[in-house]
Amino acid sequence: MSLTKAVCLPSSIQICRHIWTHFRRACATISGYRIMRPDDANIVGNVHGGTILKMIEEAGGIISTRHCNTQTGERCVAALARVERTDFLHPMFIGEVAHVSAEITYVSKHSVEVQVNVIAENILTGTTKVTNKATLWYVPFSLENVDKIVEVPLIEYKSNEQEIEGKKRYEAQKMERLETKQRNGEIIMPVISPEPFSVGFSQSSLIHLVGPSDCTLHGFVHGGVTMKLMDEVAGIIAARHCKTNIVTASVDAINFHRKIKKGCVVTVSGRMTFTSNKSMEIEVFVDADRVFEPEKYRAVSAFFTFISLDKDGKPLPVPPLKVETEEERKRFEEGKVRYLQTKAKRQTEKARQQ
């Protein structure tokens, strides 16, 4: 008597579920690389902070848009809503290769948190260094209706603690965005015959017409393009104040309050708010003007921190900022508080690592 062994084969539904789960997990990470060219850097070879921020945003935009389109229904594009404080840990130079990796770490009903790491590789020596770690928040908008926010697909968390911590970060950034929006009505006015090292002496602005190459599929400006323009203006202000080589040291949280449409004229304005012995804080605003509509609005705001360097790339003392008005003194004291808070936080983190 022969016996036939029964073999249980997975059903087509089980196979599809397995493939779909694997695809969803693959969409939760992304990596890429690019060699740094002369047009990415300043005159002494340091890669512009704005160039790095643009690469970071591109990676975040790709991974969040890809994830939000893993579900059936309306196609969408993820728009940058906020960038958390980002430190530039080490400089990057012409000829080095930037390795950018991004991972989705939390999702709410209508937003995606993306963690991005940047590593610089010297391809001649093989040495590598971490230059940036950034956290970005994206919101998906429908391709059919640009004002409609699409629901975000869920992700699988490694643990309950990871989800709980992610929710805490989501609530914290939501509150900070509201606070920033409420104090966002200031305008930078030109100063006639300003004194050296005063706020008016170094304040600068840049005007840019938004073209198709600056925009997403929706016809709105990429967040990375905006951040690059902001970094350029902040860099001009820092260079005017110090008259030396300067580099971006960090960027406080950048809040994107409203979208900027193709065809708009954007004015990027900045002013110095605080100086310590070796750093400068610069406040930057982005205002958008719809040329064919009677509307001008504040789209983005942020604080950039720069340091001054000598020919060997070592930090130089920063000339003290001359504050002349009550408003300037107030902004200086607020900047000092932010500086001391950041310094204390770094010391705490350093103590934990030891």
Side-chain angles (χ1 to χ4, degrees), residues 279-341:
S279 69
M280 301 159 275
E281 182 191 73
I282 296 157
E283 185 175 26
V284 183
F285 300 123
V286 179
D287 295 312
D289 186 359
R290 294 186 175 180
V291 180
F292 303 110
E293 299 174 30
E295 184 184 13
K296 191 171 183 177
Y297 57 90
R298 178 65 43 81
V300 192
S301 60
F303 289 100
F304 287 70
T305 299
F306 278 73
I307 57 173
S308 173
L309 300 177
D310 64 15
K311 292 184 296 184
D312 300 318
K314 295 180 180 179
L316 285 170
V318 172
L321 179 66
K322 288 183 181 178
V323 290
E324 301 171 313
T325 67
E326 197 58 41
E327 278 298 314
E328 289 175 1
R329 289 187 188 91
K330 182 184 175 184
R331 288 195 293 269
F332 188 92
E333 291 303 318
E334 290 173 347
K336 186 176 182 180
V337 169
R338 286 187 290 270
Y339 167 76
L340 292 173
Q341 287 175 341

Side-chain angles (χ1 to χ4, degrees), residues 190-202:
V191 179
I192 300 170
S193 301
E195 288 190 26
F197 307 118
S198 66
V199 175
F201 183 77
S202 59

Side-chain angles (χ1 to χ4, degrees), residues 52-64:
I52 298 171
L53 289 171
K54 191 169 183 285
M55 289 191 297
I56 288 171
E57 195 280 325
E58 285 173 353
I62 291 170
I63 193 172
S64 52

Side-chain angles (χ1 to χ4, degrees), residues 154-344:
L154 299 175
I155 64 170
E156 293 182 21
Y157 296 101
K158 296 174 183 175
S159 64
N160 290 335
E161 288 75 16
Q162 184 188 14
E163 184 175 7
I164 291 167
E165 289 301 313
K167 189 171 183 180
K168 287 179 182 177
R169 293 192 300 271
Y170 166 74
E171 295 296 341
Q173 65 86 27
K174 194 174 178 182
M175 287 299 297
E176 286 183 25
R177 278 177 55 79
L178 289 172
E179 290 171 7
T180 307
K181 202 168 185 179
Q182 289 170 358
R183 63 173 190 267
N184 210 21
E186 292 189 64
I187 297 172
I188 299 176
M189 301 298 293
V191 179
I192 300 170
S193 301
E195 288 190 26
F197 307 118
S198 66
V199 175
F201 183 77
S202 59
Q203 71 179 36
S204 302
S205 62
L206 176 154
I207 297 174
H208 178 75
L209 176 64
V210 176
S213 62
D214 298 322
C215 297
T216 66
L217 296 173
H218 271 138
F220 294 105
V221 177
H222 283 289
V225 171
T226 305
M227 290 192 290
K228 191 171 187 295
L229 292 172
M230 294 172 79
D231 182 76
E232 285 178 13
V233 168
I236 291 168
I237 293 166
R240 276 181 171 173
H241 184 78
C242 292
K243 303 296 184 186
T244 62
N245 177 35
I246 48 85
V247 292
T248 313
S250 66
V251 184
D252 269 13
I254 303 178
N255 292 294
F256 292 77
H257 307 292
R258 289 182 62 179
K259 299 189 290 290
I260 303 172
K261 198 172 184 180
K262 180 174 65 178
C264 281
V265 173
V266 294
T267 303
V268 186
S269 306
R271 63 188 171 202
M272 194 164 293
T273 51
F274 170 77
T275 56
S276 67
N277 185 39
K278 291 186 178 177
S279 69
M280 301 159 275
E281 182 191 73
I282 296 157
E283 185 175 26
V284 183
F285 300 123
V286 179
D287 295 312
D289 186 359
R290 294 186 175 180
V291 180
F292 303 110
E293 299 174 30
E295 184 184 13
K296 191 171 183 177
Y297 57 90
R298 178 65 43 81
V300 192
S301 60
F303 289 100
F304 287 70
T305 299
F306 278 73
I307 57 173
S308 173
L309 300 177
D310 64 15
K311 292 184 296 184
D312 300 318
K314 295 180 180 179
L316 285 170
V318 172
L321 179 66
K322 288 183 181 178
V323 290
E324 301 171 313
T325 67
E326 197 58 41
E327 278 298 314
E328 289 175 1
R329 289 187 188 91
K330 182 184 175 184
R331 288 195 293 269
F332 188 92
E333 291 303 318
E334 290 173 347
K336 186 176 182 180
V337 169
R338 286 187 290 270
Y339 167 76
L340 292 173
Q341 287 175 341
T342 302
K343 190 175 180 180

